[in-house]
């Protein structure tokens, strides 16, 4: 073999190697090609063997050609190995992929609970009338739930609320709030009049579950304290809210009542939404549905939070949200709201 023959042989071998390496479909194929074109019985090792029998001036030339061949072969193998590894990784990614859209999660977005929807709508109505929204704790002390609301310890008016006490501190001092009225006290403690605030939230009573009563339920409280506030302002606010929430064809009326924290006190009723006031079984043929209580804030309540009843007056109201949601959607049992059956709740 002379230098020319050696160079031609290496050139051809490199062409064949390029072919074989390019069509290697796996890392095993690639290794076989590398051994076939670079191993002991390959053309290049034959050429390498022959170097010592070449003319001395040809030796370095052929030696360089062998090095160049080995380098080119190495590059071809490396490049193909990279390609094969990338496609193996891609294949694994496809094979091992987890479908995150499977099952209930991610397929549908949830929505607000039906009682929360009613609460938000009411908040919107009152914000539209110029009210702010405030919240207070569900675990309350005797002071906020009763005493500051003009119910001294052991006062018989407390029996209007069947209280659930929490075993904390002195006996019967900490409780689950029986209404949202204690938030009135918290608002008046932290803000000076003028106050125009609604306070939605959960309340608790020792109550046996039936279709329209539950030991846990929701209320919204309203409080206005300003100079010169009258009973007429209260009646007007309740009427404005009634029309905004139930529709312009509905109206409200007040009936005398009693609450320890208001004087005078009233119950407010709205046109029955089932019979439009004609009289039906839901409204006991009266044409009216009782919604909640209201009245002029008792001067003792204002004094309890250091607001001068000679300078300021106010009104308050409070009513339940659960029954409003039930009536609006024809829901026949209050437990529907906390059984958390998604099949039921997703309808509203
Ligand atoms: N807190 C009363 C209850 O749960 C409802 C109530 C009545 C709230 C009159 C008021 C009010 O703010 O003025 O039975």
């Amino acid at each position: 073999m002379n230098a020319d023959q050696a160079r031609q042989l290496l050139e051809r071998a490199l062409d064949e190697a390029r072919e074989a390496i390019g069509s290697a479909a796996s890392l095993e194929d690639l290794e076989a090609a590398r051994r076939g074109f670079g191993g002991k019985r390959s053309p290049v090792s034959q050429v390498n063997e022959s170097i010592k029998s070449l003319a001395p001036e040809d030796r370095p030339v052929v030696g360089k050609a062998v090095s160049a061949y080995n380098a080119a072969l190495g590059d071809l193998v490396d490049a193909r190995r990279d390609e094969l590894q990338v496609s193996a990784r891609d294949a694994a990614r496809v094979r091992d992929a987890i479908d995150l859209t499977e099952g209930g999660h991610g397929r549908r977005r949830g929505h607000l609970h039906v009682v929360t929807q009613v609460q938000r709508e009411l908040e919107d109505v009152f914000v539209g009338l110029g009210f702010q929204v405030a919240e207070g704790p569900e675990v309350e002390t005797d002071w906020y739930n009763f005493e500051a609301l003009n119910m001294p310890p052991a006062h018989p008016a407390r029996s209007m609320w069947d209280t659930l006490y929490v075993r904390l501190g002195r006996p019967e001092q900490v409780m689950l709030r029986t209404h949202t009225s204690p938030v009135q006290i918290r608002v008046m403690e932290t803000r000076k009049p003028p106050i125009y605030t609604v306070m939605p939230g959960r309340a608790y009573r020792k109550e046996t579950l039936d279709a329209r009563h539950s030991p846990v339920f929701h209320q919204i409280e309203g409080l206005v304290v300003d100079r010169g506030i009258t009973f007429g302002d209260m009646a007007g606010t309740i009427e404005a809210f009634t029309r905004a929430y139930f529709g312009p064809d509905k109206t409200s009326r007040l009936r005398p009542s009693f609450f320890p924290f208001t004087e005078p006190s009233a119950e407010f009723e709205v046109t029955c939404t089932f019979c439009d006031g004609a009289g039906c079984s839901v409204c006991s043929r009266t044409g009216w549905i009782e919604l909640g209580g209201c009245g002029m804030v008792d001067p003792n309540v204002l004094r309890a939070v250091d607001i001068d009843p000679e300078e300021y007056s106010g009104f308050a109201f409070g009513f339940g949200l659960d029954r409003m949601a039930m009536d609006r959607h024809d829901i026949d049992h209050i437990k529907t709201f906390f059984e958390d059956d998604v099949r039921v709740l997703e309808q509203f």
Side-chain angles (χ1 to χ4, degrees):
M1 191 182 307
N2 61 28
D4 271 349
Q5 286 170 326
R7 248 203 319 257
Q8 277 167 21
L9 197 129
L10 290 179
E11 251 167 51
R12 233 179 302 122
L14 194 60
D15 284 344
E16 284 167 27
R18 192 176 284 117
E19 244 331 290
I21 288 167
S23 59
S26 66
L27 292 171
E28 290 75 32
D29 285 0
L30 181 63
E31 178 55 19
R34 191 193 62 76
R35 250 186 278 116
F37 290 94
K40 281 213 181 76
R41 282 195 289 274
S42 64
V44 69
S45 89
Q46 242 176 285
V47 173
N48 213 18
E49 283 298 308
S50 70
I51 289 180
K52 46 189 182 299
S53 53
L54 291 174
E57 68 273 21
D58 282 345
R59 286 179 199 167
V61 181
V62 176
K64 264 192 205 135
V66 167
S67 302
Y69 172 93
N70 282 332
L73 184 72
D75 287 349
L76 287 171
V77 170
D78 287 348
R80 184 61 187 156
R81 187 185 297 115
D82 284 351
E83 282 172 15
L84 288 172
Q85 276 168 348
V86 167
S87 57
R89 227 179 292 132
D90 287 348
R93 210 177 280 141
V94 171
R95 189 181 61 236
D96 301 340
I98 299 167
D99 182 1
L100 295 176
T101 63
E102 258 175 23
H105 291 289
R107 216 196 285 160
R108 275 190 317 261
R109 285 182 76 189
H111 63 260
L112 293 178
H113 189 280
V114 56
V115 175
T116 310
Q117 290 175 33
V118 169
Q119 179 186 318
R120 295 277 173 92
E121 250 183 80
L122 286 165
E123 286 173 17
D124 284 351
V125 167
F126 282 109
V127 167
L129 293 173
F131 283 70
Q132 295 185 311
V133 180
E135 289 185 349
E138 293 175 21
V139 178
E140 269 296 10
T141 61
D142 185 86
W143 166 258
Y144 290 101
N145 197 81
F146 289 127
E147 198 164 348
L149 289 165
N150 198 30
M151 284 176 276
H155 194 280
R158 292 185 176 211
S159 61
M160 288 173 77
W161 293 276
D162 300 305
T163 312
L164 292 161
Y165 289 96
V166 174
R167 207 177 286 147
L168 198 76
R170 281 183 293 134
E172 302 193 356
Q173 286 302 299
V174 180
M175 64 204 67
L176 299 176
R177 67 182 179 194
T178 58
H179 46 186
T180 44
S181 302
V183 191
Q184 288 187 31
I185 304 300
R186 292 184 175 273
V187 167
M188 288 188 284
E189 276 181 346
T190 51
R191 281 182 226 161
K192 292 293 122 202
I195 292 169
Y196 293 79
T197 304
V198 286
M199 296 144 273
R202 224 176 264 141
Y204 302 83
R205 286 179 203 171
K206 186 175 175 296
E207 193 100 60
T208 305
L209 184 71
D210 70 22
R212 286 172 87 79
H213 295 84
S214 156
V216 47
F217 56 100
H218 301 79
Q219 291 189 325
I220 190 163
E221 193 82 13
L223 175 70
V224 168
V225 182
D226 205 345
R227 288 193 176 88
I229 296 295
T230 68
F231 198 86
D233 295 319
M234 180 184 82
T237 303
I238 287 172
E239 181 66 8
F241 140 75
T242 299
R243 287 167 187 272
Y245 184 79
F246 292 101
D249 58 328
K250 302 290 189 294
T251 184
S252 61
R253 72 172 187 181
L254 300 172
R255 304 202 314 161
S257 186
F258 170 78
F259 295 99
F261 29 89
T262 45
E263 183 58 36
S265 303
E267 261 157 29
F268 62 96
E269 302 183 330
V270 297
T271 315
C272 178
T273 49
F274 293 91
C275 62
D276 276 336
C280 66
S281 60
V282 177
C283 59
S284 311
R285 322 256 152 235
T286 63
W288 298 92
I289 289 183
E290 188 201 316
L291 213 61
C294 58
M296 301 305 290
V297 179
D298 194 290
N300 286 340
V301 174
L302 295 176
R303 277 187 212 106
V305 289
D306 276 333
I307 293 177
D308 182 2
E310 298 297 325
E311 187 178 355
Y312 291 103
S313 58
F315 66 81
F317 57 84
F319 54 93
L321 305 184
D322 306 81
R323 289 181 202 166
M324 288 173 79
M326 289 172 72
D327 293 347
R328 172 169 277 195
H329 297 289
D330 245 343
I331 294 168
D332 61 6
H333 206 295
I334 197 167
K335 70 178 180 191
T336 306
F337 294 143
F338 46 84
E339 279 179 330
D340 292 343
D341 186 333
V342 175
R343 293 167 304 177
V344 175
L345 292 176
E346 69 186 357
Q347 297 173 58
F348 308 110

